[in-house]
Amino acid sequence: MSRYQSINPYTNKEFANYDNPTTKQIDDAINLAHALYKKWRHEKPETRTPILHNIADAFRKNEDKMAKMMTLEMGKLFSEAKGEVEISASICDYYAEHGAELLKPEPLKTKLGNAYYLKQATGVVMACEPWNFPLYQIIRVFAPNFIVGNPMLLKHAHNVPGCAALAAKIIKRAGAPEGSLINLYLSYGQLADVIADPRIQGVALTGSERGGSSVAEAAGKNLKKSTMELGGNDAFIVLDDADPEVLRKVLAGARTYNAGQVCTSSKRIIVTKSRYDEVLHELKTIFSGLKAGNPLKADTTLAPMNSERAKEKLGAQVKEATDAGAKIFYQYPEINSNGAFFRPLILTNIDSKNPAFDKELFGPVAEVFEVDDDDAAIELANNSSYGLGSSVISKNIKHAQDVAAQIETGMTVINGSWITAGELPFGGVKKSGYGRELSSLGLMAFVNEHLVIDVSKNN
Ligand code: NAP
């Protein structure tokens, strides 16, 4: 059973906790959301466009408040939290500007009659979200489904309950009808019951493989459509012809942004041999230049991890890796703090038998691999159970595009690390999940493509 607690990872002190809802509260919430779906069925998406712009504005107006709650509950740097509020607002604006147009009926060419398909809402979506981007993850599901006309129930991660409540409050105050987004502090058992409820028509989860397989199983058992945005072990491929300036700039945030806790952060840095020493040197300079401290302070560049538990898990994974022969090339010095700080480190000599080889290390640990050439880089990149994102660094764009096309992932960024925007699809292959969020693809995740064909002429 999930226990919802707000614990500041900088102090490791609890400052709030929340109870699971009663069965009646859950039923009332589903009823409210379902009634709204029925009402929205008779309204055009355009009627919701101004409200979604208002929601974007409301997040911008409440940026500091929302960002502070994120920093207090999961420890991310305040500046990064503010950036997350802005990207979330921009996603609301994207769907407000383009959603209604993208939902116009699609004409179909056929000799059998006048045919088109409507893009219609299907019903209430149950979203189950992780703590690493407490607002952005909510908005990735909420904004497209709001325009489509699918109300959303939210089960956020156990450690960001205050963010869930605040986001729901801001959305409501911005004019979203009651039931558009209902935050529920569900236990796992309660979540399974909600998924089984016939009024629920879609299940969206972002999280780990463990959470994903359990929620996907519940969705599958009840024949509910689902999207799974899961973990990654992203390759960051440095080709021989990488521009040194670009490389330095991109490496800077690739492994330490959000304290390394990003699904698409560059976990495996794969370097052709002519650039290997340079990359190790650059990474060491970047890691040693970080300043650990209070994540609310502007001069802090190294934040604690989201929880003591996450720090311990990462420590155990690193020990397992070194016990199996991995070498620590560099580790950040001791940090004198009660917070959940993990000292960033660089691992080398990880062979394919090492337990870390095919694992997602979710924190500031860079795994660096030396390879002979492009083919070896591609082979290593694809030798993974995951397939979420990837990066290719090269001065020659054609060269980078050729390599990008051979990587088995859902996303590749050339001369950059991970990127996200309302108009860009987000998602992966293999154990990184299925389905896409954001862009027109994310908008269609829980849409009924309803064929209408008039065959009168052929009668
Ligand atoms: P997680 O443990 O799977 O949790 C994600 C959500 O699922 C939380 O709300 C969690 O609730 C719930 N959950 C977990 N196990 C469950 C179960 N057995 N039954 C029902 N609900 C369950 O993931 P996390 O550790 O919080 O998040 C980090 C992971 O998310 C990383 O692997 C990261 O790569 C991935 N991620 C992926 C993307 C993407 O777009 N692909 C984006 C961000 C993060 P509780 O918190 O209450 O346990």
Side-chain angles (χ1 to χ4, degrees):
M1 175 159 127
S2 262
R3 176 152 166 66
Y4 290 82
Q5 283 175 299
S6 305
I7 299 174
N8 182 347
Y10 178 60
T11 57
N12 273 321
K13 295 223 165 82
E14 178 183 308
F15 60 93
N17 60 63
Y18 302 80
D19 292 330
N20 296 133
T22 61
T23 307
K24 175 157 183 346
Q25 284 168 329
I26 297 171
D27 193 52
D28 288 350
I30 303 177
N31 266 333
L32 187 60
H34 184 64
L36 181 62
Y37 158 67
K38 290 284 190 193
K39 178 172 179 286
W40 274 348
R41 289 274 292 154
H42 305 291
E43 295 172 5
K44 288 193 177 320
E46 286 84 343
T47 57
R48 293 183 287 282
T49 294
I51 308 174
L52 201 48
H53 274 309
N54 286 348
I55 292 170
D57 292 345
F59 277 118
R60 290 189 177 105
K61 277 191 203 114
N62 287 284
E63 183 177 289
D64 280 6
K65 203 169 167 189
M66 188 73 234
K68 189 170 177 195
M69 183 58 90
M70 292 195 252
T71 299
L72 289 179
E73 284 195 322
M74 53 69 69
K76 69 169 65 196
L77 297 178
F78 187 56
S79 57
E80 292 178 353
K82 280 164 73 101
E84 182 177 337
V85 179
E86 175 46 39
I87 179 74
S88 304
S90 76
I91 292 168
C92 293
D93 281 337
Y94 169 79
Y95 283 111
E97 275 158 34
H98 304 282
E101 185 61 32
L102 291 166
L103 289 169
K104 292 251 146 64
E106 193 74 33
L108 297 165
K109 273 197 184 147
T110 171
K111 290 182 184 139
L112 300 177
N114 175 25
Y116 54 91
Y117 65 86
L118 301 166
K119 299 169 191 167
Q120 296 178 317
T122 47
V124 183
V125 171
M126 178 70 240
C128 186
E129 299 302 323
W131 46 265
N132 67 337
F133 290 96
L135 178 62
Y136 163 77
Q137 293 297 161
I138 298 176
I139 297 299
R140 279 198 343 191
V141 181
F142 169 75
N145 283 296
F146 183 79
I147 281 294
V148 166
N150 294 327
M152 168 174 152
L153 302 183
L154 170 67
K155 182 246 168 284
H156 217 324
H158 65 280
N159 56 338
V160 288
C163 291
L166 183 57
K169 189 161 137 189
I170 292 172
I171 287 171
K172 190 170 159 194
R173 286 204 178 149
E178 285 273 4
S180 306
L181 183 150
I182 304 176
N183 171 42
L184 294 167
Y185 297 124
L186 299 173
S187 68
Y188 291 177
Q190 289 175 323
L191 175 68
D193 290 344
V194 170
I195 292 171
D197 189 290
R199 292 162 293 182
I200 302 301
Q201 288 302 321
V203 180
L205 177 135
T206 297
S208 65
E209 212 182 306
R210 179 187 59 93
S213 67
S214 164
V215 171
E217 187 184 353
K221 194 170 143 202
N222 292 286
L223 300 177
K224 302 291 166 77
K225 194 172 179 193
S226 64
T227 54
M228 293 289 140
E229 299 286 344
L230 309 179
N233 198 5
D234 288 9
F236 179 101
I237 300 180
V238 182
L239 299 176
D240 276 343
D241 53 7
D243 180 312
E245 275 306 306
V246 171
L247 176 63
R248 188 171 311 137
K249 223 173 115 196
V250 179
L251 266 180
R255 202 60 191 103
T256 53
Y257 182 85
N258 213 32
Q261 304 162 114
V262 185
C263 51
T264 45
S265 66
S266 304
K267 288 156 197 152
R268 294 180 299 148
I269 301 181
I270 299 174
V271 193
T272 44
K273 60 181 172 212
S274 65
R275 310 299 293 271
Y276 184 68
D277 291 341
E278 175 190 349
V279 166
L280 284 176
H281 170 78
E282 289 300 348
L283 273 173
K284 184 176 168 182
T285 309
I286 292 162
F287 281 15
S288 59
L290 294 169
K291 183 174 182 298
N294 184 342
L296 282 171
K297 287 200 171 156
D299 63 343
T300 300
T301 51
L302 176 61
M305 291 189 65
N306 75 89
S307 65
E308 204 54 30
R309 205 176 80 182
K311 172 189 156 182
E312 279 161 18
K313 181 177 171 192
L314 186 60
Q317 287 174 322
V318 167
K319 179 164 184 322
E320 224 180 27
T322 50
D323 285 350
K327 300 255 177 299
I328 296 179
F329 175 78
Y330 169 78
Q331 180 155 30
Y332 192 84
E334 290 293 341
I335 301 166
N336 183 15
S337 164
N338 292 327
F341 284 97
F342 188 90
R343 295 157 54 207
L345 64 86
I346 303 170
L347 281 182
T348 62
N349 296 68
I350 301 166
D351 63 29
S352 60
K353 291 195 195 74
N354 194 300
F357 185 79
D358 199 20
K359 270 211 186 108
E360 179 184 42
L361 300 192
F362 213 53
V365 176
E367 295 160 78
V368 188
F369 298 82
E370 182 179 15
V371 289
D372 286 341
D373 53 23
D374 293 9
D375 287 346
I378 293 162
E379 196 185 320
L380 181 55
N382 291 339
N383 190 359
S384 169
S385 302
Y386 299 96
L388 191 57
S390 49
S391 294
V392 180
I393 313 296
S394 166
K395 255 196 285 215
N396 179 337
I397 301 307
K398 171 80 178 54
H399 184 194
Q401 286 172 335
D402 283 349
V403 171
Q406 296 177 69
I407 307 174
E408 295 163 349
T409 55
M411 303 169 275
T412 302
V413 184
I414 293 174
N415 289 329
S417 57
W418 69 285
I419 196 164
T420 185
E423 65 276 20
L424 302 177
F426 201 104
V429 293
K430 302 191 201 172
K431 285 194 177 168
S432 294
Y434 51 84
R436 292 291 181 273
E437 288 185 347
L438 299 176
S439 82
S440 57
L441 302 181
L443 186 71
M444 298 304 153
F446 300 107
V447 157
N448 175 16
E449 289 99 352
H450 178 163
L451 169 71
V452 180
I453 178 160
D454 167 13
V455 295
S456 332
K457 267 195 318 202
N458 298 338
N459 288 335

